[in-house]
């Protein structure tokens, strides 16, 4: 437990150390590489984050990324070997998955940041395209649909209405959902506080403690459940490390989901304490288009069937900025089964 918490804090607080050191202060940025080299350098950046900066002649930035990527990849493989070597014991399964989530999520973030920074020549910490990003929005509200077809089973579409207020220090959230064609659904309310800020230029970026209480009703099968998710969440604009990384932001989450289940017909109750977490990398492609990909590790919601699956689920998609502060989000979720998620929401700073 000490090792797990220590590694998490080391990774999530790294932006403070990077900003304090200001490795590129007073150094004239080198010219960006030609985009025609992308087929050669992008795979190299993803396999060895920092190599793109070394090719640009940015030895200090490249070396820092290489060092961090080595630490993160070592943590991920260490957790996997620990689980395999101990026969997936209770202790190893409590340590291995968190190390994998943090290690692989951070490694991928550094690789994508290095690839993007290799072909850019500076920029602002918060360029125009990040002004309406989800982590940086004060107000968010909208509706979403999750379509997860399951052969021979009803309730493959879940509709959700949600709202969020995030100030520079406090978070408040609410959510209400229904599974189409059924009485099943859930209601959720939560909030959070910022524990550590990463930069005065991005006051909502930082390490947050977020929690939400969710009650689910599964009338079709005769049970209901209450889940209390509590997570440490890092909202990190990569421009904190260097301006040329300003188009990339990362999200890392790790926590637990204590869940109480009540089986109405039998009058029985149950309790579970599953791990939850994941990562997401967000990249501004233009002023109005952003790509994102990520991974979620958690127990499936009891309502609406299986989407996440035993090994978690990956998602990838794009966000399109529309007039009036509207944002259209479309993503494909590769879980159990493959699902389509789409949302239309309003965001304001």
């Amino acid at each position: 437990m000490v090792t797990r918490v220590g590694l998490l804090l080391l990774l999530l607080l790294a932006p403070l150390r990077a900003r304090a050191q200001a490795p590129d202060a007073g150094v004239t940025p080198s010219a960006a590489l030609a985009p025609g080299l992308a087929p050669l350098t992008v795979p190299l950046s993803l396999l060895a984050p920092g190599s793109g900066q070394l090719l640009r002649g940015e030895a200090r930035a490249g070396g820092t990324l290489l060092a961090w990527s080595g630490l993160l990849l070592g943590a991920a493989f260490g957790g996997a070997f620990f689980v395999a070597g101990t026969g997936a014991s209770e202790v190893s399964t409590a340590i291995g998955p968190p190390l994998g989530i943090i290690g692989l999520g951070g490694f991928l973030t550094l690789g994508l940041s290095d690839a993007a920074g290799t072909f850019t020549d500076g920029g602002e910490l918060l360029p125009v395209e990040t002004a309406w990003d989800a982590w940086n929005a004060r107000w968010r509200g909208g509706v979403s649909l999750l379509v997860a077809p399951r052969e021979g089973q009803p309730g493959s579409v879940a509709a959700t209405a949600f709202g969020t207020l995030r100030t520079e220090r406090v978070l408040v959230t609410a959510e209400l959902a229904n599974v189409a064609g059924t009485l099943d659904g859930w209601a959720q309310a939560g909030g959070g506080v910022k524990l550590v800020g990463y930069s005065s230029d991005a006051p909502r970026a930082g390490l947050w403690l977020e929690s939400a209480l969710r009650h689910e009703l599964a009338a079709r099968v005769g049970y209901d459940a209450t889940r209390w998710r509590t997570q440490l969440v890092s909202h990190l604009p990569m421009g904190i490390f260097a301006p040329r990384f300003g188009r990339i932001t990362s999200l890392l989450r790790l926590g637990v989901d204590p869940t109480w289940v009540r089986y109405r017909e039998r009058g029985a109750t149950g309790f579970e304490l599953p791990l939850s977490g994941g990562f997401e990398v967000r990249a501004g492609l233009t002023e109005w288009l952003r790509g994102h990909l990520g991974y979620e590790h958690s127990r499936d919601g009891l309502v609406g069937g299986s989407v996440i699956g035993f090994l978690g689920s990956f998602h990838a998609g794009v966000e399109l900025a529309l007039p009036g502060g509207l944002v259209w989000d479309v993503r494909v979720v590769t879980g159990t089964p493959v699902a389509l998620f789409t949302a239309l929401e309003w965001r304001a700073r």
Side-chain angles (χ1 to χ4, degrees):
M1 177 65 72
V2 174
T3 302
R4 174 172 48 177
V5 173
L7 180 59
L8 174 64
L9 293 179
L10 182 65
L11 173 62
L12 298 184
L13 297 181
L16 299 179
R17 174 180 172 85
R19 185 170 178 83
Q21 289 179 336
D24 294 325
V27 178
T28 302
S30 59
L33 294 184
L37 297 176
L40 177 63
T41 55
V42 169
L44 188 60
S45 291
L46 296 178
L47 293 174
S51 58
Q53 300 308 304
L54 293 177
L55 289 173
R56 286 187 53 168
E58 301 284 355
R60 196 166 190 177
T64 300
L65 291 179
L66 280 172
W68 273 106
S69 62
L71 175 64
L72 293 168
L73 194 60
F77 277 109
F81 290 146
F82 184 37
V83 172
T86 58
S89 65
E90 291 186 3
V91 174
S92 65
T93 53
I95 296 176
L99 290 178
I101 292 171
I102 296 172
L104 292 179
F107 183 86
L108 181 58
T109 299
L110 293 181
L112 292 174
S113 300
D114 182 42
T118 299
F119 301 99
T120 58
D121 197 16
E124 300 296 331
L125 172 62
L126 291 180
V128 174
E129 64 269 11
T130 64
W132 47 268
D133 202 355
W135 68 271
N136 199 38
R138 180 180 180 88
W139 293 98
R140 296 177 59 199
V143 293
S144 67
L145 288 176
L146 177 66
V147 182
R150 297 178 302 280
E151 185 176 356
Q153 298 185 33
S156 61
V157 179
T160 304
F162 59 90
T164 299
L165 167 65
R166 186 188 297 274
T167 69
E168 297 180 3
R169 295 185 178 275
V170 178
L171 170 70
V172 180
T173 67
E175 186 175 300
L176 186 64
N178 173 255
V179 179
T182 73
L183 297 177
D184 298 352
W186 64 85
Q188 177 175 302
V193 294
K194 187 175 69 175
L195 302 178
V196 178
Y198 291 157
S199 170
S200 59
D201 295 324
R204 293 185 182 89
L207 178 63
W208 291 69
L209 176 63
E210 300 182 5
S211 185
L213 186 65
R214 170 169 166 167
H215 183 73
E216 301 182 350
L217 174 63
R220 288 178 297 159
V221 290
Y223 65 76
D224 62 283
T226 301
R227 187 192 72 188
W228 182 21
R229 168 169 290 178
T230 301
Q231 295 180 328
L232 284 173
V233 184
S234 171
H235 303 270
L236 170 59
M238 297 300 291
I240 289 176
F241 288 95
R244 57 185 167 276
F245 297 149
R247 291 178 179 270
I248 303 289
T249 59
S250 75
L251 173 71
L252 282 174
R253 307 188 315 273
L254 185 64
V256 291
D257 291 357
T259 304
W260 294 265
V261 184
R262 289 163 294 278
Y263 303 93
R264 297 180 178 182
E265 294 183 359
R266 294 182 295 166
T269 60
F271 176 75
E272 298 178 344
L273 188 62
L275 178 76
S276 66
F279 65 87
E280 185 171 299
V281 181
R282 310 174 64 80
L285 306 177
T286 70
E287 294 184 2
W288 48 269
L289 185 67
R290 173 180 291 105
H292 53 74
L293 60 87
Y295 169 79
E296 181 179 358
H297 176 89
S298 65
R299 181 64 59 85
D300 278 303
L302 299 178
V303 177
S306 176
V307 174
I308 296 173
F310 178 74
L311 295 177
S313 66
F314 288 89
H315 63 266
V318 294
E319 287 183 347
L320 178 66
L322 303 173
L326 294 177
V327 177
W328 182 29
D329 183 4
V330 180
R331 62 182 66 187
V332 175
V333 182
T334 57
T336 313
V338 174
L340 175 67
F341 172 90
T342 183
L344 180 65
E345 62 177 282
W346 172 76
R347 297 176 186 171
R349 293 188 64 186

